[in-house]
Amino acid sequence: MRMSALQQQISLRLAEIAGALSDALPESGPALYIGNMGEVLFLMYYSRYTGEDQWYDLAGARLEQIFEQIENQPTYEGAFGPGLGGTFFAIEHLVKQDFIDESARDSIAMFDDFFVKFMHLRLQKNDFDYFSGATGIGAYLLERLPFQPTLSDALEQLLTAFEQDAQPDGAGGFFWKTTFSRPDGASEINVGLTHGMLSQVLLLTRLCKAGVAPARCRTLLEGAVSFLLRQEQDAAQYYSLFPNVAGFPTTSRLGWCYGDLGIALGLYRAGQACERPDWIEKAMDIFQYTTTRRDLQRNMVKDAAFCHGACGIAQFFQRMYLETDIPAFENTHQYWTQQVLNLARPGAGIAGYLPHVAMEHIPPANTRSLLNGVSGIGLSLICADSDIPPDWDACFLLS
C-alpha cells in the first residue's frame, strides 16, 4: 500500500530517531521522564511499529542496563518525574502491553514500602506535585494495587491528606496550593497538570474508577471542579480560557504541562467518574475551542517536545478522538502532528529536535528523553502512523 506524504515523513523521522538512540546509552539516570527509561519505552513501541526484532532486542538490553543502574545506586530518588516512580510505572505498562514478561514485577515489588514512605515524606511537606511529589507516587501505587492489595491503605491515606489540605473558596468549592514555581517560597493555586491541582483531579478520577473510596473521591472532585469552573476567563482578551494560576488572569500556553487542554481533560474525566454530563459537555466545549487555537506563537509552542510542545498537544487530540470519534479532534491531531514534523531543524539535536525551553537547565542527554526529547516525540509519531493504541500516554495522565 502506497504511503501518503505525511506517512513518509513520519517513517523517515522515526528511522532517524531510532538510529540516533541506537548509539551507546549516555550517562543518565533510569528515570522515565528525563532519563533512560523513556528510550526503552520508545524502542519497545518502535519494534512493534516496524516488526523488526533488532529494536526489541536493543530495548531489552537497555532495560537490563537500567536495572543495573538501580542496583548500583547508593540512594534512591522516588519521584515520578525524575525518579523511580515513573520508571517502575513504565515497567508495569510494558508488562500489561505484553512487551516483557510479568516476572519483571518481582524486581520492583520489593520497593513498595520505599514508595509508601517516600509518599509520606512528601505529604509531610504538603507536596502534592505530580512530577516530584505525592500525587505522582499515588499514580504509581495505584498501578501496583491489583498485585499488592495492601497498598489500598496508603492510597486512602493520600486521600485523607487531600481532604485535610483542601482549602474552601467560600463558594462551595475548594483548592490545593503549591509552592513549586515560587522562588520566594510563597504558595499559589496552580491549576496546571504537571505541578498543579489538575494532577490531583485526574488521580482522583483514576482512584474512583479503581474503587478506592469512590464516595470520598467524588466529594473531592465536586469541590475541585466547582472551583476550577470559576476560574474561566475571557478568551477574547487572553486567548486561553483558563490561566496558569487561579486569581491571576493571563494567557496560558497550549500544552500538556499547563493550559486549557489539561482543564478540559480534568473536567471530562471528572464528569465520567461522577456521572456529570454537564461537566462532560463543558469539557467538550473547551476542547472544541482549543481546536481553533493554531497560532504557534500565541500558543507559546516553540518546539516539538511533549511537555510544552507540539507532540503533547497532538496526543491530547488523538486521545480524545479515540474516545469520542469527533472528526474535529482527528483533524486537529493531524494538524499538530504536521507541526511536530515542521518543527524539526536539520542538523539540530537528534533528528532535528532540540528542546527550546530552559536549555540551560536541560542536560544534553535530555534531548533523548520522554518529556523534553525525541523519545516522547517518537512515541507520538508512532501512534499517529499506525493502529497501535497510544496507551503509553497513561504515564502523562491522559488515559
Side-chain angles (χ1 to χ4, degrees):
M1 183 179 295
R2 186 173 182 178
M3 291 192 294
S4 69
L6 179 62
Q7 288 174 314
Q8 288 178 335
Q9 290 181 66
I10 290 174
S11 179
L12 290 171
R13 191 65 61 191
L14 284 170
E16 285 189 65
I17 292 172
L21 294 185
S22 66
D23 294 340
L25 199 65
E27 287 295 327
S28 186
L32 173 63
Y33 275 8
I34 61 173
N36 301 139
M37 192 64 198
E39 295 181 43
V40 172
L41 197 61
F42 165 76
L43 291 167
M44 287 286 187
Y45 270 87
Y46 190 63
S47 71
R48 189 164 285 178
Y49 170 80
T50 62
E52 297 174 357
D53 291 341
Q54 69 182 88
W55 304 111
Y56 180 83
D57 294 340
L58 178 58
R62 292 282 169 84
L63 187 57
E64 289 183 10
Q65 288 177 276
I66 284 175
F67 277 121
E68 290 175 5
Q69 285 179 320
I70 294 169
E71 289 175 4
N72 293 327
Q73 285 182 338
T75 59
Y76 301 110
E77 165 61 64
F80 195 97
L84 296 183
T87 306
F88 290 175
F89 186 101
I91 290 171
E92 283 287 356
H93 174 76
L94 292 174
V95 172
K96 288 180 181 178
Q97 298 298 317
D98 295 322
F99 282 110
I100 60 177
D101 190 84
E102 64 181 16
S103 62
R105 290 194 176 112
D106 297 337
S107 299
I108 63 177
M110 66 184 71
F111 285 85
D112 287 346
D113 289 342
F114 162 78
F115 283 111
V116 172
K117 292 176 182 176
F118 184 88
M119 184 185 76
H120 282 299
L121 289 173
R122 289 294 189 263
L123 290 177
Q124 289 172 13
K125 300 177 180 179
N126 290 328
D127 180 2
F128 296 104
D129 194 284
Y130 180 67
F131 184 84
S132 61
T135 300
I137 298 304
Y140 171 64
L141 295 179
L142 184 57
E143 287 296 297
R144 289 281 305 145
L145 184 62
F147 319 106
Q148 186 57 273
T150 58
L151 292 175
S152 61
D153 292 340
L155 290 168
E156 293 204 32
Q157 289 163 12
L158 179 60
L159 278 178
T160 298
F162 282 1
E163 291 164 340
Q164 293 175 343
D165 202 61
Q167 300 183 41
D169 65 359
F174 46 73
F175 54 84
W176 296 278
K177 287 188 173 182
T178 181
T179 61
F180 173 81
S181 60
R182 294 293 297 268
D184 59 1
S187 61
E188 64 183 13
I189 309 169
N190 185 316
V191 296
L193 200 164
T194 316
H195 306 294
M197 62 181 287
L198 246 298
S199 63
Q200 291 168 269
V201 168
L202 288 167
L203 178 60
L204 285 166
T205 67
R206 286 186 175 183
L207 291 168
C208 188
K209 183 178 179 180
V212 179
R216 295 169 65 191
C217 291
R218 292 190 182 102
T219 297
L220 288 167
L221 286 169
E222 290 277 355
V225 170
S226 175
F227 174 80
L228 287 171
L229 288 172
R230 281 193 292 277
Q231 306 315 307
E232 187 170 356
Q233 59 191 17
D234 182 10
Q237 180 178 358
Y238 296 106
Y239 195 47
S240 61
L241 289 166
F242 292 86
N244 290 332
V245 177
F248 295 91
T250 187
T251 301
S252 182
R253 71 176 350 117
L254 199 65
W256 171 72
C257 48
Y258 286 96
D260 293 349
L261 289 171
I263 297 284
L265 184 67
L267 294 177
Y268 181 71
R269 296 286 183 228
Q272 291 174 317
C274 296
E275 299 181 339
R276 290 287 302 266
D278 54 328
W279 294 354
I280 293 175
E281 182 179 0
K282 180 62 176 177
M284 291 298 103
D285 289 343
I286 299 170
F287 275 124
Q288 290 284 3
Y289 172 68
T290 60
T291 66
T292 70
R293 289 182 58 179
R294 298 192 177 188
D295 185 317
L296 271 66
Q297 183 173 359
R298 295 186 74 187
N299 285 322
M300 293 174 262
V301 176
K302 298 180 180 180
D303 65 21
F306 196 97
C307 182
H308 44 261
C311 85
I313 301 170
Q315 195 57 41
F316 269 98
F317 287 108
Q318 184 182 42
R319 171 54 54 194
M320 292 309 300
Y321 176 67
L322 289 173
E323 297 193 23
T324 67
D325 284 326
I326 294 175
F329 294 161
E330 173 59 7
N331 177 273
T332 308
H333 169 236
Q334 291 182 7
Y335 170 81
W336 284 105
T337 297
Q338 186 63 63
Q339 301 316 304
V340 171
L341 296 167
N342 293 348
L343 284 163
R345 298 291 179 263
I350 295 176
Y353 294 113
L354 191 67
H356 176 84
V357 175
M359 276 304 299
E360 67 272 19
H361 303 302
I362 298 176
N366 212 236
T367 308
R368 305 164 69 106
S369 74
L370 187 69
L371 187 67
N372 294 304
V374 295
S375 294
I377 293 168
L379 280 163
S380 177
L381 292 176
I382 285 171
C383 295
D385 187 38
S386 70
D387 294 327
I388 299 172
D391 294 334
W392 56 270
D393 66 10
C395 72
F396 289 107
L397 292 176
L398 268 61
S399 58

